[in-house]
Amino acid sequence: MGEKSVDRASLKMLKKASDEGIGTAWDRLEKQEPQCGFGLLGICCRNCNMGPCRIDPFEEEPGKGVCGATADIIAARNLLRMIAAGAAAHSDHGRDVVTTLYAAAQGEVQGYQIKDEAKLHALAAEFGVVAEGRSKEEIARDLAREAMEEFGMVKERLQFLNRAPEKRRAVWEKLGIAPRGIDREIVEALHRTHMGVDNDYTNITLHGGRTGLSDGWGGSMFATEFSDILFGTPRPVRGKSNLGVLKEDQVNIVVHGHEPILSEIIVLAARDEELLAVAREKGARGINVCGMCCTGNELLMRHGVPIAGNFLQQELALVTGAVEAMVVDVQCVMPALAQVAKCYHTKIISTSPKAKFPGVEHVSFEEHSALEIAKRIVRMAVENYPSRKQELVQIPDEEMEYMSGFSVEAILQALGGTLNPLLDAVKAGRIKGIAAIVGCNNPKTTQDRGHLTLTRELIKNDCLVVQTGCAAIACAKAGLLLPEAAAEAGPGLRAVCEALQVPPVLHMGSCVDISRILVAASAVANALGVDISDLPAVGAAPEWMSEKAVSIGTYVVGSGVLTVLGTVPPVLGGKNLVELLTKGARDVLGAAFAVEEDPSKAAALILEHIAAKRQALGLEP
Ligand code: BF8
Ligand code: SF4
């Protein structure tokens, strides 16, 4: 195994974990190696009980499963199931936000309000909900009902598709991949991959495109837009990042997972005077709520709440010995946390009925008594403070300031209300192109190195970088989300950033907020009168690991943007499938996937692509 991380705080905690005999994801990966070759190539199938079947990639006569499935069919089915799981995760998160808005509109919940009325009205207009002469609650209720229908089979096309350029919508219609209903596409993906249904790898992959699009232009977009209505649309804000945000003399609560519905209310509860008084009684100077992973991104985007780290730091946060409670909901929450927590005083508190651990305290969170429950959770953390084992406490001093909160609305405001300054900069070549660098950490590759190397190479070459998810947290920790980081940018980008007082790397939110990037890309394409696939734009996921990332990559390619993956997806056993994903897709979608494990080479590939797109648009390369 190569170097584990480029993050000094992570390295310090890895050393501490090893001294204390605590295994982490890196150690468990080592124990898994060598990983199963069939699995890595995507050519094992257990979709029915005639199997499991696996295809020998070295046999001369191409192998088949018992049912006759070829390597391409098996790999395509496995890929579609990954996309469906990823789309389901994002969209079920979206559903919870829609349900919360509905309940808030009915006055049935504690602690939630309609914060962004302008967005509520904009969305009401978009969905044809009458707003005139009605209260915001009435509008929100009807809007939420409209959204609920988008998940099912009442409608024939997702409403948000209309945000895409006309040319892009025509591509989707022609290919028959315009999503109808969010849940419908996910269910159909499971149906098609059942034994003996869709036996054509191209047809299976096309539905993968439709399922992915139902995430990006559906479930994720609802998660983003409705969260903005409930919690406010992000505006530029500053805060601190990395494990150094944990406080030696305060009650540390880490909120980890994805949905802002829980974490927003925990932040509120932690300000409760009575709980603060109990904390002081227990000898703590205060209550310090920090984020982890995407729920942390939601909080930092809207409130500048400190973020303790990205995906591979969840265990390491516990290893500091200074976390009283880690409160988790759904997604990217490692089962290992329960084991690591046992070595310290930390309480893991699960809150979603969908996501429990054996032997871990569960406090079921539901929006109707949200504030009460949140206070109960915060109290549990506060009361745990005296149990801290001082001899095990070691908080790394790494801490870095960030600037975040770049919603599309905030970017527009920074530009002075119109896209023109950005378009002019792109046309004049001060900004060569725009790269969205997103996604996870993966112990198969050095933590944060892919994100940082690629980002630095691109800004140095005058590409504006937009980010979400764990990639954005990596850059926050490295100081790249500060206006001062423009010093690392090429002269053109640097001048633009200095004039606007913005960083060269814009943090646009959590992974569902990649929908913000779709909206921005559509706005730019519409302003130029072209398709998204004509733009000098790329997507990249240098360290991805999650099925959600597979869904994202699929809808980004489906939306017309080249997507460069830094860890190899499990499809290589399906040779024709690989051709389709990396070349064939280009002919029909105007974009495809590329895989490049070396971030410097990925940067070169991206810059070449951007230069070609600029030339095609008649701009200086
Ligand atoms: O949704 S980037 S490791 S935390 S999957 Fe998970 Fe990946 Fe992080 Fe956020 Ni996104
Ligand atoms: Fe084997 Fe076909 Fe069954 Fe898959 S669906 S396990 S390839 S028989």
Side-chain angles (χ1 to χ4, degrees), residues 6 400 437 448-463 465 467 474-481 485-490 493 504-505 599-600 603 607:
V6 293
M400 179 56 82
I437 303 179
D448 293 352
R449 185 169 63 195
H451 296 309
L452 298 182
T453 310
L454 183 57
T455 303
R456 288 200 160 106
E457 286 283 321
L458 292 181
I459 62 171
K460 197 170 82 194
N461 285 283
D462 291 318
C463 280
V465 173
Q467 295 198 325
C475 286
K477 293 183 292 175
L480 288 168
L481 301 189
E488 289 196 46
L493 177 60
V505 183
S600 300
L607 291 170

Side-chain angles (χ1 to χ4, degrees), residues 59 75 104 209 275 329 444 573:
E59 257 179 27
L275 287 168
D329 57 4
K444 286 181 177 177

Side-chain angles (χ1 to χ4, degrees), residues 45-53 65-69 74 77 195:
C45 178
R46 47 175 193 76
N47 289 11
C48 88
N49 207 24
M50 293 189 283
C53 303
V66 177
C67 66
I74 292 175
R77 285 198 305 221
M195 187 266 143

